[in-house]
């Protein structure tokens, strides 16, 4: 399936039954293929334990199916009913401040609760038994946005007890735990697993391995919760695809691991909603206030497509102003169409819009939709119609494997948050900036995790992999790829210890460097990096004092260890002893792509170009028209070589 499929998130339970048939008819007429329903319906379906009211949902599914729409059914475990919470208040999550987060909104459950795990499987089984073989139900979404409202880390009693069991299974004896955690430090020794508390509400910073293990435990609980429902659906709804809707900028659990149990990796795309809280600069936020960052859709679609092994859907596409960001502007006309095509270009097989009709009551009244609350079509419906017509002009085009991969390791992101050594250490921002930097060269990218096959890539870039295991190092070594390795890589073992051979630990042989010291510099300490050709660039923040016998590409100009190596190249790897941004990053990426013989297309700041099979896509995020690079072989299917503001061009190489 490579034709762009379109869909919508629908909440019939919030509207009079008399509207349902007309809604379904209108959806079909708009060219929609899919309708996602029911992710928040537990309280309606089972108003008291064991009493089920299925009739309305049966009717909705029939109406949608009879209109030719394919139904994506959801398990409703993101919002457990009040009677269950009253019976088992221990289900509720607990924040890092130790306070219980109560009923009345959603996501009011703790992933560590075995009581809730059982209840979730019970209700999933009830839904799957009823609809698992329904001819109109073609796919399932489990729960809703596991990391929404920050409930992955829960500091409940059940989490503490589960964590203790997890540690006992992991270490076997408390002596091994003490050695691994280094609890001799500050005399924090334990004599039994029952003495171990959660790493929150402490006087000072927690033991780093303690904190990292709690992040690992919490991530394991998300995978366990998801996999338990996958197993239920496999049993009662065989042959239907199973997905979950991941979020943007969500690193609190190992998405690689959860994705491994899904058929399709879903993503909820809110380019404007996620802009003002992002790590972009003020100038970038001002420039892209009504378009979203040029690399937002690409980054997340490439990441989740890679995790989905090529199967990725946008399960919620922003249709207009959302209601949950600090400010909620409207996108300029044309952006919903551009975002939809950008998702497809980056591998989405389907794009579903959030939501069908704007709510008239409750928490999300200000969130726009395809229709206003009076049923009149809003701007997104206009742009959806354009996309629905345009997709008929496109041939089949599967997204192909890229030549360049970005290594993204969730454990390293957790580790850097736990042991930053720099209170503004850019952590996940580095990954986004390297991605954006490479995309300005028109380079298509895959993402890989430590557990993935790393062969067949020409260049693997490693922006922030603080933890590098011997297994990962062996895979990198064996891949034959050239490597661009960012600072701090390999500087901690999986136990969060400094490697015996110092950083970069397991990467020492590939890089040919030894890190003798790390320092972090404030913004005011503008220092420079000087290349052999004399070019100099400002930098600050993280800096490493390294020793090497390999080729020194650039050196530090500094009052401290002036002339020490800043960029070193061995035959397999370029190692960075600092964290580059802006012009320095641009030069480093350009040099690395040239070193690896990767073809590039220089893109203007507002222009993004990508490929999907034999199709080329160009997107203009700016307010002025642009001319596309052209060699006359492009046969345009949408737009042309002059791309208007907020425009889309799609071509097929003749
Ligand atoms: C998230 C949730 C939806 C809805 C939207 C609003 O993506 O999955 O239920 O709250 O946000 O943008």
């Amino acid at each position: 399936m490579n034709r762009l499929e379109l869909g919508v998130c629908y909440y019939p339970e919030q509207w009079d039954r008399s509207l349902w048939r007309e809604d379904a008819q209108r959806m079909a007429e708009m060219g929609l293929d899919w309708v996602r329903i029911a992710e928040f319906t537990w309280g309606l379906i089972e108003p008291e334990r064991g009493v089920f009211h299925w009739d309305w949902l049966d009717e909705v599914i029939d109406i949608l199916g009879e209109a030719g729409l394919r139904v994506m059914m959801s398990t409703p475990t993101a919002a457990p009913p009040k009677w269950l919470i009253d019976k088992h208040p221990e289900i509720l999550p607990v924040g890092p401040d130790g306070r219980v987060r109560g009923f009345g909104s959603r996501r009011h459950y703790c992933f560590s609760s075995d009581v809730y795990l059982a209840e979730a499987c019970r209700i999933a089984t009830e839904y799957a038994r009823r609809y698992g073989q329904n001819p109109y139900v073609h796919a399932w979404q489990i729960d809703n946005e596991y990391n929404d409202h920050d409930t992955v880390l829960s500091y409940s009693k059940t989490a503490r007890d589960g964590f203790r069991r997890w540690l006992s299974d992991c270490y076997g004896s408390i002596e091994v735990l003490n050695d691994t955690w280094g609890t001799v430090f500050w005399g924090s020794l334990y004599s039994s697993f029952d003495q171990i508390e959660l790493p929150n509400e402490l006087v000072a910073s927690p033991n780093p391995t303690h904190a990292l293990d709690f992040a690992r435990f919490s991530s394991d609980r998300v995978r366990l919760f998801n996999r338990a429902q996958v197993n239920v659906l496999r049993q009662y709804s065989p042959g239907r695809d199973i997905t979950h809707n991941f979020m943007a900028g969500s690193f609190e659990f190992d998405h690689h691991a959860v994705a491994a149990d899904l058929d399709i990796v879903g993503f909820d795309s809110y380019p404007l909603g996620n802009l003002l809280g992002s790590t972009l600069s003020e100038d970038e936020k001002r420039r892209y206030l009504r378009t979203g960052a040029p690399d937002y859709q690409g980054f997340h679609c490439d990441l989740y497509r890679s995790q989905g092994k090529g199967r990725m859907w946008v399960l919620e596409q922003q249709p207009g102003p959302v209601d949950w960001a600090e400010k909620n502007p409207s996108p300029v006309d044309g952006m919903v169409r551009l975002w939809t095509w950008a998702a497809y270009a980056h591998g989405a097989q389907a794009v579903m819009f959030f939501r069908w009709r704007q709510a008239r009551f409750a928490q999300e009244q200000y969130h726009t939709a395809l229709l206003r609350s009076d049923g009149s079509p809003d701007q997104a419906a206009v742009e959806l119609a354009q996309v629905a017509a345009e997709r008929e002009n496109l041939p089949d085009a599967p997204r192909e494997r890229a030549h360049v991969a970005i290594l993204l390791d969730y454990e390293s992101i957790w580790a850097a948050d736990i042991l930053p050594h720099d209170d503004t250490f850019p952590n996940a921002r580095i990954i986004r900036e390297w991605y954006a930097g490479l995309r300005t060269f028109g380079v298509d990218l895959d993402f890989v995790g430590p557990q993935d096959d790393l062969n067949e890539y020409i260049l693997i870039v490693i922006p922030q992999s603080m933890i590098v295991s011997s297994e990962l190092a062996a895979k990198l070594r064996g891949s034959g790829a050239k490597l661009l390795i960012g600072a701090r890589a390999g500087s901690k073992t999986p136990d969060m210890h400094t490697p015996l051979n110092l950083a970069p630990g397991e990467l020492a042989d590939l890089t040919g460097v030894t890190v003798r010291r790390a320092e972090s510099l404030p913004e005011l300490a503008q220092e420079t990096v000087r290349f052999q050709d004399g070019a100099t660039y400002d930098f600050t923040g993280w800096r490493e004092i390294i020793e090497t016998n390999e080729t020194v590409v650039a050196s530090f100009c500094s009052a401290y260890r002036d002339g020490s190596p800043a960029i070193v190249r061995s035959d397999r790897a370029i190692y960075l002893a600092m964290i580059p941004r802006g012009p320095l990053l641009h030069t480093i990426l350009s040099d690395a792509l040239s070193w690896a013989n990767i073809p590039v297309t220089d893109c203007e700041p507002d222009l993004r170009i990508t490929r999907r099979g034999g199709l080329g896509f160009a997107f203009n995020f700016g307010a002025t028209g642009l001319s596309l690079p052209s060699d006359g072989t492009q046969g345009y299917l949408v737009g042309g070589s002059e791309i208007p503001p907020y425009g889309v061009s799609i071509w097929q190489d003749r």
Side-chain angles (χ1 to χ4, degrees), residues 126-145:
E126 294 293 351
Y127 276 59
R129 273 205 185 110
R130 188 151 190 103
Y131 301 118
Q133 310 277 358
N134 184 302
Y136 296 138
V137 173
H138 295 265
W140 287 86
Q141 172 179 296
I142 294 176
D143 200 279
N144 192 78
E145 292 194 338

Side-chain angles (χ1 to χ4, degrees), residues 40 106 144-145 245 268 270 316 322 324 354 364 367:
F40 298 114
R106 62 181 178 182
N144 192 78
E145 292 194 338
N245 49 343
D268 290 349
Y270 292 93
E316 298 179 13
V322 295
W324 43 264
F354 186 85
E364 296 190 329
H367 196 300

Side-chain angles (χ1 to χ4, degrees), residues 243-315:
T243 188
H244 171 76
N245 49 343
F246 286 164
M247 301 171 71
S250 167
F251 301 102
E252 285 70 22
F253 63 90
D254 185 339
H255 290 56
H256 295 305
V258 175
D261 295 324
L262 299 172
D263 300 310
I264 296 170
V265 172
F267 158 52
D268 290 349
S269 165
Y270 292 93
L272 297 197
N274 293 122
L275 176 72
L276 296 178
S278 75
T279 55
L280 269 71
S281 69
E282 290 300 297
D283 286 345
E284 288 170 315
K285 291 176 184 177
R286 187 174 300 110
R287 183 179 189 134
Y288 299 119
L289 181 69
R290 294 183 182 280
T291 63
D295 296 300
Y296 172 93
Q297 202 79 322
F299 180 98
H300 293 102
C301 288
D302 287 348
L303 172 60
Y304 294 139
R305 180 199 70 247
S306 303
Q307 292 181 352
K309 302 296 182 264
R311 299 204 65 199
M312 183 275 293
W313 289 21
V314 170
L315 291 175

Side-chain angles (χ1 to χ4, degrees), residues 416-480:
D417 280 340
I418 290 165
L419 211 54
H421 182 54
D422 170 351
D423 68 343
T424 59
F425 182 76
N427 209 354
R429 186 191 76 201
I430 307 170
I431 300 165
R432 182 186 60 71
E433 291 188 340
W434 284 37
Y435 175 91
L438 289 163
R439 290 290 302 123
T440 59
F441 291 105
V443 172
D444 284 337
L445 298 160
D446 288 348
F447 280 83
V448 290
Q451 75 295 330
D452 283 327
D453 173 3
L454 304 183
N455 295 324
E456 295 178 34
Y457 288 106
I458 296 172
L459 174 65
I460 298 174
V461 299
I462 307 174
Q464 200 285 66
S465 284
M466 187 166 158
I467 293 175
V468 172
S469 66
S470 55
E471 294 80 10
L472 175 56
K475 288 170 82 171
L476 289 168
R477 197 174 297 115
S479 72

Side-chain angles (χ1 to χ4, degrees), residues 454-455 457-460 462 472-485 507 509-512 550 568-575 595-596:
L454 304 183
N455 295 324
Y457 288 106
I458 296 172
L459 174 65
I460 298 174
I462 307 174
L472 175 56
K475 288 170 82 171
L476 289 168
R477 197 174 297 115
S479 72
K482 291 198 177 302
L483 307 172
L484 175 60
I485 301 176
L507 298 176
D509 62 326
L510 281 167
T511 59
E550 300 293 346
V568 170
R569 187 181 62 239
S570 66
D571 68 326
R572 282 289 308 278
I574 294 173
Y575 183 83
W595 175 59

